[in-house]
Amino acid sequence: MYLTTEEEGILNGEAGPVAERMFRLLVRLGEIYGADKMIPVGSVQVAGVSYKSIEEPGTTFLEDIAAQGAKVKVLTFLNPAGMDLEDWKKLGFPEAFAKNQMRIMNAFKQMGIVITATCTPYLAGNLPRFREHIAWSESSAISFSNSVIGARTNREGGPSALAAAICGKTPNYGFHRWEERQPSIKINVETDLVFDSDFGALGYTLGKQIKNKIPYFTGIKNADTDQLKALGAAMAASGAVALYHVEGLTPEADLVKKDNLETITVTKKDLQDAYAKLNTGKEPDIVILGCPHASLREIGSVAAKVQGKHLRKPLWVCTSRMMKEAADRMGYTQTIEKAGGHIVADTCMVVSPIEDMGFKTTGVTSGKAANYLPGFCKQSVCFANLDALVEAIS
Ligand code: F3S
């Protein structure tokens, strides 16, 4: 791989030991995947933020490099943390967990990372442009930025994203290259997608089948950005899809080569089967929405659905701090709280320790959450559309 004189210098320790260590990691990755050179990144998003995921070794590592003076060079955001960073006490998060979570946030802050803990950075102040090279590591955000925005990122791990943030660069391979963004399978959707959860069900069933291929969708008549984020998140979770194209909807769909591709057809029966597979519970103890983190439009729909109700079970709507503030201003927070629910910022149902908070069955509209909750949080799942879940806890 070609390296500039300045980059050679970093490898020789001229920018300090942390930069050297981080740059070595990027060079190694580049060598493994056949990169020709390093390219600058416009922004970074780092996963591995919850104490539940990285535990003591990850926390000590972050504190250690922060203490050595590591600083990021580009706009860097964080994935959800393990708790609402402001309202954790009110929501019942364990105190010992909260203490450790704050150690992680402080280490990131010391490095100059924006303490915005969200899987939808593009809704919270980190919006890449079309064809911008970025290094993001949350799978649903990777899928959204690659597919819906047309920015370019590989599936970074927490360490490689952090290395890209500290060095401001990433190796040029994979989805950074146009030739690697071409579809490898065609998906013909022969059923109407009515509810947002239908997009999650579609993503779940496809991810299982196509693994890390790049699908080109036909037959999706319309979808808003919330529905596309639900589709991409589910495909990334049940498979490893990091980029998809939708005829007429996503920015690269007209530009890519889509002749002579193997084709899969998805019918109503496939969606019904996905709902059946994802439903492992009978009645939810809690309903948690916002996977990926809810947009203001989604929070508004929840508020409209629960207005005037008295919910029998807890309801959380997970979102970024920025969206929560907008929801406060719009009165959505008040409406949801009056019904007995909460808008929970900075965290989500998967990375927070809900299994230690007494919940056994969680209701979700998200194909990604439904896929992960049994394994990560020991939950049975009620996967359904918003109307049905609100009904179930009313
Ligand atoms: Fe985001 Fe958590 Fe879902 S990180 S995509 S809300 S599992």
Side-chain angles (χ1 to χ4, degrees):
M1 179 170 41
Y2 168 77
L3 294 180
T4 63
T5 321
E6 191 197 343
E7 290 165 350
E8 295 279 6
I10 300 174
L11 277 189
N12 293 328
E14 285 168 17
V18 178
E20 179 191 336
R21 189 167 157 198
M22 294 291 160
F23 202 63
R24 267 191 203 290
L25 171 70
L26 296 178
V27 171
R28 185 79 197 105
L29 271 178
E31 283 167 356
I32 292 170
Y33 291 106
D36 55 343
K37 59 180 179 182
M38 290 287 171
I39 45 173
V41 288
S43 74
V44 170
Q45 193 251 1
V46 176
V49 177
S50 170
Y51 187 76
K52 177 174 162 180
S53 328
I54 67 171
E55 299 181 326
E56 200 49 35
T59 308
T60 320
F61 166 76
L62 292 172
E63 287 178 326
D64 188 40
I65 60 165
Q68 288 182 55
K71 290 271 181 251
V72 298
K73 281 206 168 135
V74 294
L75 181 70
T76 303
F77 272 41
L78 294 174
N79 223 25
M83 64 185 196
D84 186 310
L85 298 171
E86 290 180 16
D87 287 340
W88 60 269
K89 218 175 218 163
K90 184 171 110 190
L91 292 161
F93 284 87
E95 184 127 20
F97 183 87
K99 251 194 186 149
N100 285 323
Q101 185 62 63
M102 290 320 291
R103 286 170 56 206
I104 296 171
M105 305 319 283
N106 288 335
F108 279 131
K109 195 171 171 189
Q110 236 178 302
M111 291 185 232
I113 294 177
V114 182
I115 305 303
T116 291
T118 182
C119 49
T120 56
Y122 44 88
L123 296 178
N126 183 356
L127 177 66
R129 64 161 170 76
F130 184 59
R131 289 186 179 154
E132 184 169 32
H133 296 285
I134 57 177
W136 286 16
S137 55
E138 151 57 33
S139 67
S140 71
I142 291 165
S143 167
F144 191 91
S145 56
N146 266 333
S147 314
V148 183
I149 299 171
R152 299 185 173 187
T153 178
N154 284 319
R155 291 161 49 88
E156 301 296 345
S160 66
L162 192 56
I166 288 169
C167 303
K169 294 185 176 179
T170 196
N172 185 36
Y173 69 91
F175 295 115
H176 291 289
R177 294 178 171 167
W178 174 241
E179 58 277 18
E180 312 249 0
R181 299 177 64 86
Q182 306 303 313
S184 47
I185 190 158
K186 201 179 247 180
I187 312 292
N188 182 23
V189 180
E190 278 190 356
T191 178
D192 287 337
L193 302 166
V194 180
F195 299 105
D196 289 3
S197 52
D198 292 348
F199 285 84
L202 173 65
Y204 168 79
T205 193
L206 281 173
K208 284 238 169 279
Q209 289 175 69
I210 66 175
K211 308 278 189 293
N212 63 353
K213 289 190 175 162
I214 302 175
Y216 179 89
F217 285 94
T218 59
I220 297 182
K221 294 180 198 109
N222 202 2
D224 62 30
T225 46
D226 295 326
Q227 293 164 332
L228 292 174
K229 92 175 152 57
L231 170 68
M235 283 194 291
S238 69
V241 176
L243 165 65
Y244 63 91
H245 305 286
V246 185
E247 187 180 49
L249 296 183
T250 58
E252 290 179 342
D254 289 348
L255 310 172
V256 291
K257 293 187 211 109
K258 53 252 181 198
D259 300 329
N260 307 319
L261 292 173
E262 176 200 347
T263 302
I264 293 181
T265 297
V266 182
T267 63
K268 194 170 182 182
K269 165 93 175 49
D270 296 313
L271 284 202
Q272 287 166 343
D273 289 349
Y275 273 90
K277 266 204 191 115
L278 290 171
N279 265 289
T280 49
K282 283 211 165 68
E283 212 196 303
D285 305 327
I286 181 169
V287 168
I288 313 186
L289 308 167
C291 172
H293 272 175
S295 67
L296 190 60
R297 175 170 49 197
E298 289 174 310
I299 300 172
S301 320
V302 179
K305 290 270 185 274
V306 302
Q307 183 151 33
K309 291 197 183 330
H310 293 286
L311 303 175
R312 290 181 299 114
K313 305 270 178 74
L315 165 75
W316 288 4
V317 185
C318 297
T319 191
S320 62
R321 182 68 50 194
M322 278 71 169
M323 287 300 114
K324 174 156 190 304
E325 277 174 13
D328 292 350
R329 288 191 177 183
M330 294 302 293
Y332 300 153
T333 311
Q334 209 191 3
T335 305
I336 292 171
E337 285 183 352
K338 228 172 162 187
H342 292 285
I343 298 189
V344 178
D346 313 314
T347 189
C348 81
M349 63 290 267
V350 172
V351 299
S352 63
I354 55 168
E355 66 279 24
D356 299 334
M357 298 166 78
F359 302 117
K360 292 200 160 44
T361 304
T362 301
V364 294
T365 55
S366 159
K368 171 170 177 174
N371 183 61
Y372 279 161
L373 280 169
F376 281 92
C377 305
K378 302 187 192 97
Q379 297 292 296
S380 298
V381 169
C382 297
F383 172 68
N385 64 58
L386 180 59
D387 293 318
L389 289 179
V390 170
E391 186 63 38
I393 58 167
S394 292

